[in-house]
């Protein structure tokens, strides 16, 4: 069914992955912490904006800048980060509360879904295997766009792959970086924060996805009609 004929007006739901669908923001931080300690550049809370929601090449460059000329090449560090993160995900990935029931409700309603993430393809495939690949219509990994979040490219790519208007989509995100990307693409945004995300027009913020369903997500496209 096209976005023009869906009775609820909801063309698709586009999910961030790390920290939104699965509890992997903590694992990503742990992976970065491991690699940072090895190269003599310990992490602190001040590093969060350059770690959480960021692709490995961004975080690697951030770590290397602080080390100056003695730093390893950022590409080497990015590969180490991806490897450490993949190992942790394979061993410890856990769905976030409410995720599986919401995904199943979307499948029953025939609403297309996508994963839209700054993680590499091999991590996306691991998570899909855990959650059930049949629950997703398409996936966009970091390799699939020239620019990653906070640029809108990943969300625009997901909408294009599904053949829908991003303005008729709801994006589900957990970090300011991801929210910026989704809003720039024109999506309505549901935020289930893993770090602080400020309130703003067009954003709906919930503590978890428990109790959410297709009707609620569709209502986010028309906030003036909600009661």
């Amino acid at each position: 069914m096209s976005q023009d004929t869906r009775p609820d007006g909801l063309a698709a739901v586009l999910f961030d992955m790390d920290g939104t669908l699965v509890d992997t923001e903590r694992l990503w931080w742990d992976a970065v912490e491991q690699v940072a300690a090895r190269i003599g550049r310990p992490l602190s809370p001040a590093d969060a904006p350059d770690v959480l929601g960021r692709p490995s090449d961004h975080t690697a460059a951030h770590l290397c800048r602080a080390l100056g000329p003695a730093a390893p090449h950022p590409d080497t560090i990015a590969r180490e980060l991806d490897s450490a993160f993949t190992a942790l995900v394979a061993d410890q990935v856990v769905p976030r509360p409410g995720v599986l029931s919401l995904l199943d409700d979307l499948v029953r309603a025939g609403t297309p879904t996508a994963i839209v993430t700054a993680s590499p393809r091999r991590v996306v495939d691991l998570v899909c295997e855990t959650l059930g690949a049949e629950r997703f219509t398409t996936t966009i990994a970091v390799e699939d766009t020239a620019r990653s979040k906070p640029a809108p490219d990943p969300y625009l790519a997901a909408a294009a792959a599904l053949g829908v208007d991003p303005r008729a989509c709801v994006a589900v995100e957990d970090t300011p970086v991801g929210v910026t990307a989704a809003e720039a693409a024109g999506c309505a945004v549901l935020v289930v924060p893993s770090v602080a995300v400020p309130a703003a027009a067009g954003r709906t913020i919930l503590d978890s996805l428990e109790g959410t369903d297709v009707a609620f997500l569709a209502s986010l496209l028309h906030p003036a009609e909600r009661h």
Side-chain angles (χ1 to χ4, degrees):
M1 183 180 292
S2 75
Q3 66 190 58
D4 296 323
T5 58
R6 289 190 62 84
D8 58 12
L10 180 62
V13 181
L14 314 177
F15 290 93
D16 171 61
M17 189 178 77
D18 301 307
T20 300
L21 288 174
V22 287
D23 188 13
T24 48
E25 285 290 16
R26 172 183 56 84
L27 301 183
W28 174 237
W29 183 271
D30 289 349
V32 176
E33 195 167 47
Q34 289 175 19
V35 174
R38 187 194 67 74
I39 63 175
R41 201 293 193 182
L43 285 189
S44 75
D47 294 307
D50 289 292
V51 175
L52 298 178
R54 297 288 191 173
S56 57
D57 58 351
H58 178 100
T59 299
H62 170 69
L63 295 177
C64 291
R65 275 194 299 271
L67 293 173
H73 194 283
D75 289 349
T76 300
I77 300 305
R79 287 192 294 271
E80 286 193 39
L81 291 172
D82 284 344
S83 179
F85 183 47
T86 301
L88 289 173
V89 169
D91 187 50
Q92 301 182 40
V93 67
V94 177
R96 298 289 291 162
V99 161
L100 296 182
S101 59
L102 175 57
L103 289 172
D104 288 343
D105 193 45
L106 290 163
V107 169
R108 285 192 295 270
T111 304
T113 57
I115 289 177
V116 183
T117 179
S119 286
R121 171 59 56 188
R122 64 180 176 275
V123 175
V124 177
D125 291 344
L126 280 172
V127 170
C128 280
E129 185 177 328
T130 297
L131 297 181
E134 71 280 359
R135 291 184 165 110
F136 300 101
T137 313
T138 193
T139 60
I140 301 295
V142 71
E143 298 94 337
D144 295 327
T145 56
R147 299 184 301 170
S148 188
K149 303 174 187 179
D153 303 34
Y155 279 104
L156 295 174
L162 295 172
V164 299
D165 186 337
R167 294 170 297 179
C169 297
V170 171
V172 187
E173 272 285 355
D174 73 313
T175 67
V177 170
V179 169
T180 298
E183 290 178 341
C187 303
V189 181
L190 172 60
V191 188
V192 184
S194 61
V195 294
V197 176
R203 295 177 192 170
T204 301
I205 301 178
L206 298 178
D207 291 334
S208 86
L209 289 174
E210 291 185 298
T212 57
D213 57 15
V214 176
F216 175 77
L217 293 178
S219 76
L220 302 184
L221 296 173
H222 309 287
E225 300 174 9
R226 293 172 61 195
H227 298 289

